[in-house]
Amino acid sequence: MTETTAPALTRTPGGPQRATLLELFFDLVFVAALALTSIDLARKLSWAGVVEGLLPLLAVWWVWQITTLVTDYYDPERWPIQAILGGTMLGSILLAATLPAAFGPHGLFFAIVYVTIHLGRGLPLVTFQRGGPQIRAARFMIWFGVSTPAWILGALSPHPTTRGALWALALALEYLIGALRYPVPRLGRVPLSQYETAGRHLGERYQQFMILTLGDLIVVPALKFGQTGFSGLRTAALLAAFAATALLWQIYVFRIGLRFETVIDQNPGRVERWAPYTQVLTVAGVVALGTGFELVIGQPGGTTPAAWAVVLFAGPALFLVGRITFEYQMFRRYSRSRVAWAVVLIPMAVVACAVPPLLATVLVAINLLGVAVTDAIRGRRGSGRLSGDP
């Protein structure tokens, strides 16, 4: 189907692509959601607890991602888009508040809020737009309508296993359809040209979000430190957690600025189509590491339980895998040194089970320091360009 343009709410070619302050304000809601997830996971650390924390987290991430696509295609300076963003922000606050009980008594509330955000965000765009923008919004609404029954039926189930299965099915459908560009009979897929509307804006949005995501590693340890009281071991654990957080910032933010610019200049649509699936790994890594910091600061001495070692070292592993995958998707190259440091995390996790949690956290920081140092060496050799050299 031929799509005409209706520029009333869409971005104008050549217009400003900077992220707005309202969008940055919107992101703060998700920082709270990530912190709540880390804290809740620390309280019920088990395989079931991981699933019950992971599925709502993936849902929250998808809310942020789809909302970012809206502000990337539509002009966030227009008041109707700002109103949509405000409504989504309110719904996201409610989602964040119910995250710890999404598999408990507030499951139905969580599911209703989630589907209302997606359907309510698309309704005014379908109603008041014409041509291409209307068809684009209709594609999104149709597929979120398809996934809605699984969300509601899962929430109505009294069995956590059934709820988890139905919610996982709904999320798998939403993530898959997003990768396929929301194909609809007679309407087709989202045109590739619509993924190249404001690539620089999207790159800036991801960088902003990741900076705020790392705030999870500041907020969670600080709250736990204040609740448990001051001691030498806890202070050392807090310092180790801060060092690891600063190194993650170095690995992700400091090194990614020029890369985003390069990718966007060469193929702006590639970021928009693939970043959601790589960046969710880095977000999950931060949440896992925040869970580990919460546990370690609460009990820095003794022997590290195996479950604690898993979240402590799975966090940076997921973070590095996300970054490696992003680099490969964007440049068709990857950093061998980062792969090596990610692999080294496995024997480090084994060693961590024989040492106190404080020393396990120090091992995490040492690994990330190794990544940062080899990145710096590789950067000097390649004049700041991404290199596939070891």
Side-chain angles (χ1 to χ4, degrees), residues 11 16-31 34 60-77 81 84-86 88-89 92 121 197-214 252-253 256-257 260-261 264 271-272 275-276 279 282-283 326:
R11 288 178 177 269
Q17 296 192 15
R18 296 299 303 273
T20 65
L21 292 178
L22 181 60
E23 292 175 277
L24 186 59
F25 184 47
F26 173 72
D27 291 348
L28 295 177
V29 177
F30 296 91
V31 176
L34 297 179
V60 167
W61 167 254
W62 208 237
V63 168
W64 184 89
Q65 170 59 32
I66 299 301
T67 305
T68 299
L69 291 182
V70 170
T71 57
D72 195 58
Y73 182 70
Y74 297 95
D75 188 352
E77 297 289 351
I81 304 303
I84 291 173
L85 196 60
T88 303
M89 184 175 181
S92 301
R121 179 179 48 219
T197 305
R200 292 179 181 270
H201 165 265
L202 191 71
E204 186 175 339
R205 291 291 291 120
Y206 275 112
Q207 292 181 61
Q208 289 177 344
F209 187 80
M210 283 309 303
I211 291 173
L212 293 175
T213 297
L214 291 174
Y252 186 92
V253 180
I256 204 171
F260 256 124
E261 294 293 328
I264 292 167
V271 175
E272 191 158 348
Q279 301 303 295
T282 61
V283 172
F326 174 80

Side-chain angles (χ1 to χ4, degrees), residues 125-150:
L125 297 176
V126 171
T127 303
F128 298 111
Q129 291 284 276
R130 294 294 180 267
Q134 183 187 49
I135 295 173
R136 174 189 171 97
R139 292 189 186 97
F140 282 72
M141 278 200 70
I142 287 170
W143 279 111
F144 281 118
V146 171
S147 66
T148 291

Side-chain angles (χ1 to χ4, degrees), residues 245-305:
T245 303
L247 289 166
L248 285 178
W249 177 87
Q250 173 77 11
I251 293 166
Y252 186 92
V253 180
F254 179 77
R255 297 281 301 163
I256 204 171
L258 293 177
R259 296 177 184 176
F260 256 124
E261 294 293 328
T262 301
V263 173
I264 292 167
D265 287 341
Q266 295 175 351
N267 190 344
R270 191 183 296 174
V271 175
E272 191 158 348
R273 282 179 282 134
W274 294 111
Y277 305 96
T278 57
Q279 301 303 295
V280 70
L281 293 176
T282 61
V283 172
V286 169
V287 170
L289 195 53
T291 299
F293 290 167
E294 163 89 1
L295 295 167
V296 170
I297 292 177
Q299 185 180 326
T303 303
T304 304

Side-chain angles (χ1 to χ4, degrees), residues 347-389:
M348 278 187 164
V350 176
V351 172
C353 294
V355 300
L358 171 58
L359 292 182
T361 308
V362 172
L363 287 176
V364 170
I366 290 173
N367 182 279
L368 296 176
L369 178 62
V371 177
V373 169
T374 51
D375 278 354
I377 294 173
R378 191 177 69 250
R380 281 197 295 270
R381 290 176 178 173
S383 300
R385 297 188 302 271
L386 177 65
S387 170
D389 296 336

Side-chain angles (χ1 to χ4, degrees), residues 127-193:
T127 303
F128 298 111
Q129 291 284 276
R130 294 294 180 267
Q134 183 187 49
I135 295 173
R136 174 189 171 97
R139 292 189 186 97
F140 282 72
M141 278 200 70
I142 287 170
W143 279 111
F144 281 118
V146 171
S147 66
T148 291
W151 283 105
I152 301 302
L153 289 174
L156 291 173
S157 173
H159 303 291
T161 302
T162 304
R163 179 176 299 182
L166 288 171
W167 284 6
L169 176 64
L171 283 169
L173 175 65
E174 292 172 4
Y175 276 61
L176 175 62
I177 292 302
L180 296 176
R181 293 188 281 127
Y182 296 92
V184 175
R186 299 187 62 185
L187 297 183
R189 304 184 184 192
V190 176
L192 290 175
S193 61

Side-chain angles (χ1 to χ4, degrees), residues 3-18:
E3 299 188 9
T4 59
T5 58
L9 296 178
T10 57
R11 288 178 177 269
T12 57
Q17 296 192 15
R18 296 299 303 273

